[in-house]
Amino acid sequence: MRDPYEVLGVARGASAGEIKTAFRRLAKRLHPDANKHDPKAASRFAELNAAYEIVGDADKRKTFDRGEIDAEGKPRFQGFEGFGGGPGGGHGGFGREGTFETFNFGREGFQRSGGRGGGFRGHSGFEDILKDVLGGLGGGRAGVHFEQDDFAPGAGDIAATLAITLAEAAKGAKKRVQLPTGKEVEVKIPAGLAEGQQIRLKGQGFAGPRGRAGDALITVTVVPHPLFAREGADLRLELPVTLYEAVLGAKVRVPTLGGAVELAIPPGTSAGRTFRLKGKGFPAKGGTGDLLATVRIVLPEHGDAELDELMKKWRETKPYDPRKDLA
């Protein structure tokens, strides 16, 4: 993965606010819903979210800046005292507690043998070796990523993850995936798919010891949406309204997964008030959930002299305390 600062387009010394602003701007531009005809949109959006998980979190950012984790959030390689290679494509590395492990990839999948040694502090060296060994076996499309544990000896099964958008999870979709076997297959995503749900493709894995092909097990993950947060079958949305819309009332357009709808904001609506839009949430077995739109009052960006004067007058002639019930 690329440097998260590069992905977000910010300098290493950028403030938390600048990073958050850059993420929101890019999320709207790169979201797969806005790039429906771009097959790489999901992977680019997933890369953006992964970058923000690192530098958008104060503790992870410090750890990354110190060089203790890489761009994927994994502990960095800390150095080694020995490295071995053997005939027949074998590669070796020192595992945890000083155990030297040798890896070979053949017809029957990934094989491991071990001995004693000293070196390879940390587990990321093992991951780097596997990336080199398996790099030529074929990549993934549509946001598919294969891990080293996917190549367990004997079973022939392949495990993978597939990143899809919230809209694809809600409505269903068909995604093309290239497996490490070199074969490209179509994966049907059912409507209302749950986060972490697994799809099994029978006979699409590697051949086992007895010649029977294993399965491809694809775990589906849903990339975060820039507007909606999912809570079971319900979706939550922050709905920005102007001060005059909140005071006087208005009809505003509210985005949903199925398209924008109109919502009547009654006069005197306070920030934090939540409106429930029935049946505009996420489809589930028990029926489609609701969309919960919480009002957020937004003032003019550059201020307003008349508004300032009005508020000063209110402060003098019509004071009130909204915090009187707080302890």
mmCIF file of all heavy atoms in Angstrom, residues 88-90 103-111 133-134 137 151 153 206-207:
data_model
loop_
_atom_site.group_PDB
_atom_site.id
_atom_site.type_symbol
_atom_site.label_atom_id
_atom_site.label_comp_id
_atom_site.label_asym_id
_atom_site.label_seq_id
_atom_site.Cartn_x
_atom_site.Cartn_y
_atom_site.Cartn_z
ATOM 1 N N GLY A 88 14.374 -25.990 -5.067
ATOM 2 C CA GLY A 88 12.964 -26.269 -5.325
ATOM 3 C C GLY A 88 12.055 -25.140 -4.919
ATOM 4 O O GLY A 88 10.886 -25.342 -4.636
ATOM 5 N N GLY A 89 12.574 -23.920 -4.883
ATOM 6 C CA GLY A 89 11.691 -22.782 -4.570
ATOM 7 C C GLY A 89 11.470 -22.599 -3.100
ATOM 8 O O GLY A 89 10.559 -21.912 -2.702
ATOM 9 N N GLY A 90 12.300 -23.225 -2.217
ATOM 10 C CA GLY A 90 12.095 -23.059 -0.786
ATOM 11 C C GLY A 90 12.615 -21.734 -0.302
ATOM 12 O O GLY A 90 13.643 -21.255 -0.750
ATOM 13 N N PHE A 103 9.709 -22.624 3.954
ATOM 14 C CA PHE A 103 8.438 -22.697 3.259
ATOM 15 C C PHE A 103 8.658 -23.136 1.824
ATOM 16 O O PHE A 103 9.565 -22.654 1.146
ATOM 17 C CB PHE A 103 7.752 -21.325 3.275
ATOM 18 C CG PHE A 103 7.661 -20.724 4.636
ATOM 19 C CD1 PHE A 103 8.589 -19.788 5.062
ATOM 20 C CD2 PHE A 103 6.663 -21.118 5.507
ATOM 21 C CE1 PHE A 103 8.510 -19.246 6.326
ATOM 22 C CE2 PHE A 103 6.574 -20.574 6.767
ATOM 23 C CZ PHE A 103 7.503 -19.643 7.180
ATOM 24 N N ASN A 104 7.836 -24.039 1.359
ATOM 25 C CA ASN A 104 7.880 -24.486 -0.024
ATOM 26 C C ASN A 104 6.480 -24.481 -0.593
ATOM 27 O O ASN A 104 5.512 -24.816 0.086
ATOM 28 C CB ASN A 104 8.446 -25.912 -0.131
ATOM 29 C CG ASN A 104 9.908 -25.984 0.249
ATOM 30 O OD1 ASN A 104 10.773 -25.674 -0.548
ATOM 31 N ND2 ASN A 104 10.176 -26.366 1.503
ATOM 32 N N PHE A 105 6.348 -24.080 -1.836
ATOM 33 C CA PHE A 105 5.040 -24.082 -2.483
ATOM 34 C C PHE A 105 5.103 -25.045 -3.663
ATOM 35 O O PHE A 105 5.901 -24.888 -4.579
ATOM 36 C CB PHE A 105 4.657 -22.684 -2.978
ATOM 37 C CG PHE A 105 3.249 -22.615 -3.490
ATOM 38 C CD1 PHE A 105 2.195 -22.515 -2.594
ATOM 39 C CD2 PHE A 105 2.969 -22.682 -4.834
ATOM 40 C CE1 PHE A 105 0.894 -22.463 -3.045
ATOM 41 C CE2 PHE A 105 1.675 -22.636 -5.288
ATOM 42 C CZ PHE A 105 0.635 -22.519 -4.404
ATOM 43 N N GLY A 106 4.254 -26.061 -3.639
ATOM 44 C CA GLY A 106 4.228 -27.051 -4.705
ATOM 45 C C GLY A 106 2.813 -27.436 -5.056
ATOM 46 O O GLY A 106 1.868 -26.698 -4.815
ATOM 47 N N ARG A 107 2.658 -28.605 -5.637
ATOM 48 C CA ARG A 107 1.327 -29.048 -6.063
ATOM 49 C C ARG A 107 0.343 -29.141 -4.909
ATOM 50 O O ARG A 107 -0.847 -28.915 -5.070
ATOM 51 C CB ARG A 107 1.427 -30.417 -6.742
ATOM 52 C CG ARG A 107 2.023 -30.347 -8.145
ATOM 53 C CD ARG A 107 1.930 -31.710 -8.784
ATOM 54 N NE ARG A 107 2.362 -31.667 -10.169
ATOM 55 C CZ ARG A 107 2.350 -32.732 -10.969
ATOM 56 N NH1 ARG A 107 1.927 -33.890 -10.510
ATOM 57 N NH2 ARG A 107 2.766 -32.611 -12.206
ATOM 58 N N GLU A 108 0.840 -29.529 -3.780
ATOM 59 C CA GLU A 108 -0.058 -29.747 -2.644
ATOM 60 C C GLU A 108 -0.177 -28.504 -1.769
ATOM 61 O O GLU A 108 -0.624 -28.564 -0.640
ATOM 62 C CB GLU A 108 0.414 -30.940 -1.814
ATOM 63 C CG GLU A 108 0.384 -32.236 -2.626
ATOM 64 C CD GLU A 108 0.687 -33.442 -1.773
ATOM 65 O OE1 GLU A 108 0.900 -33.259 -0.572
ATOM 66 O OE2 GLU A 108 0.696 -34.555 -2.303
ATOM 67 N N GLY A 109 0.199 -27.363 -2.338
ATOM 68 C CA GLY A 109 -0.001 -26.117 -1.618
ATOM 69 C C GLY A 109 1.218 -25.703 -0.825
ATOM 70 O O GLY A 109 2.349 -26.065 -1.155
ATOM 71 N N PHE A 110 0.984 -24.989 0.231
ATOM 72 C CA PHE A 110 2.043 -24.399 1.027
ATOM 73 C C PHE A 110 2.494 -25.380 2.089
ATOM 74 O O PHE A 110 1.681 -25.930 2.831
ATOM 75 C CB PHE A 110 1.498 -23.126 1.665
ATOM 76 C CG PHE A 110 2.546 -22.090 1.825
ATOM 77 C CD1 PHE A 110 3.133 -21.540 0.705
ATOM 78 C CD2 PHE A 110 2.947 -21.678 3.065
ATOM 79 C CE1 PHE A 110 4.094 -20.566 0.837
ATOM 80 C CE2 PHE A 110 3.898 -20.719 3.204
ATOM 81 C CZ PHE A 110 4.481 -20.158 2.090
ATOM 82 N N GLN A 111 3.808 -25.623 2.183
ATOM 83 C CA GLN A 111 4.352 -26.558 3.162
ATOM 84 C C GLN A 111 5.387 -25.850 4.002
ATOM 85 O O GLN A 111 6.137 -25.011 3.527
ATOM 86 C CB GLN A 111 4.975 -27.767 2.454
ATOM 87 C CG GLN A 111 3.944 -28.590 1.674
ATOM 88 C CD GLN A 111 4.586 -29.760 0.966
ATOM 89 O OE1 GLN A 111 5.743 -29.705 0.599
ATOM 90 N NE2 GLN A 111 3.828 -30.825 0.792
ATOM 91 N N VAL A 133 6.839 -15.027 -2.683
ATOM 92 C CA VAL A 133 6.607 -16.375 -3.209
ATOM 93 C C VAL A 133 5.321 -16.434 -4.011
ATOM 94 O O VAL A 133 5.260 -17.029 -5.089
ATOM 95 C CB VAL A 133 6.537 -17.397 -2.043
ATOM 96 C CG1 VAL A 133 6.160 -18.769 -2.565
ATOM 97 C CG2 VAL A 133 7.884 -17.465 -1.339
ATOM 98 N N LEU A 134 4.274 -15.813 -3.503
ATOM 99 C CA LEU A 134 2.963 -15.943 -4.113
ATOM 100 C C LEU A 134 2.629 -14.839 -5.095
ATOM 101 O O LEU A 134 1.563 -14.862 -5.708
ATOM 102 C CB LEU A 134 1.887 -15.957 -3.006
ATOM 103 C CG LEU A 134 2.074 -17.053 -1.964
ATOM 104 C CD1 LEU A 134 1.025 -16.901 -0.873
ATOM 105 C CD2 LEU A 134 1.962 -18.418 -2.606
ATOM 106 N N LEU A 137 1.395 -15.736 -8.636
ATOM 107 C CA LEU A 137 0.272 -16.669 -8.801
ATOM 108 C C LEU A 137 -0.984 -15.995 -9.301
ATOM 109 O O LEU A 137 -1.953 -16.663 -9.596
ATOM 110 C CB LEU A 137 -0.032 -17.357 -7.460
ATOM 111 C CG LEU A 137 1.044 -18.327 -6.985
ATOM 112 C CD1 LEU A 137 0.667 -18.871 -5.619
ATOM 113 C CD2 LEU A 137 1.223 -19.451 -7.976
ATOM 114 N N PHE A 151 -3.394 -20.341 2.087
ATOM 115 C CA PHE A 151 -2.801 -21.449 1.372
ATOM 116 C C PHE A 151 -2.418 -22.573 2.338
ATOM 117 O O PHE A 151 -1.322 -23.091 2.327
ATOM 118 C CB PHE A 151 -1.570 -20.962 0.592
ATOM 119 C CG PHE A 151 -1.928 -19.902 -0.405
ATOM 120 C CD1 PHE A 151 -1.907 -18.572 -0.043
ATOM 121 C CD2 PHE A 151 -2.317 -20.237 -1.676
ATOM 122 C CE1 PHE A 151 -2.256 -17.590 -0.945
ATOM 123 C CE2 PHE A 151 -2.668 -19.255 -2.590
ATOM 124 C CZ PHE A 151 -2.634 -17.942 -2.222
ATOM 125 N N PRO A 153 -1.916 -26.125 3.804
ATOM 126 C CA PRO A 153 -1.639 -27.365 3.077
ATOM 127 C C PRO A 153 -2.764 -28.372 3.234
ATOM 128 O O PRO A 153 -3.386 -28.486 4.274
ATOM 129 C CB PRO A 153 -0.347 -27.856 3.725
ATOM 130 C CG PRO A 153 -0.335 -27.247 5.090
ATOM 131 C CD PRO A 153 -1.004 -25.924 4.932
ATOM 132 N N PHE A 206 -7.523 -24.772 -4.970
ATOM 133 C CA PHE A 206 -6.447 -25.587 -5.512
ATOM 134 C C PHE A 206 -6.785 -27.069 -5.369
ATOM 135 O O PHE A 206 -7.578 -27.460 -4.513
ATOM 136 C CB PHE A 206 -5.131 -25.304 -4.766
ATOM 137 C CG PHE A 206 -4.530 -23.978 -5.095
ATOM 138 C CD1 PHE A 206 -4.454 -22.981 -4.131
ATOM 139 C CD2 PHE A 206 -4.033 -23.721 -6.359
ATOM 140 C CE1 PHE A 206 -3.900 -21.754 -4.425
ATOM 141 C CE2 PHE A 206 -3.473 -22.492 -6.665
ATOM 142 C CZ PHE A 206 -3.409 -21.513 -5.691
ATOM 143 N N ALA A 207 -6.166 -27.895 -6.189
ATOM 144 C CA ALA A 207 -6.370 -29.338 -6.106
ATOM 145 C C ALA A 207 -5.743 -29.868 -4.821
ATOM 146 O O ALA A 207 -4.622 -29.493 -4.464
ATOM 147 C CB ALA A 207 -5.753 -30.028 -7.314
#
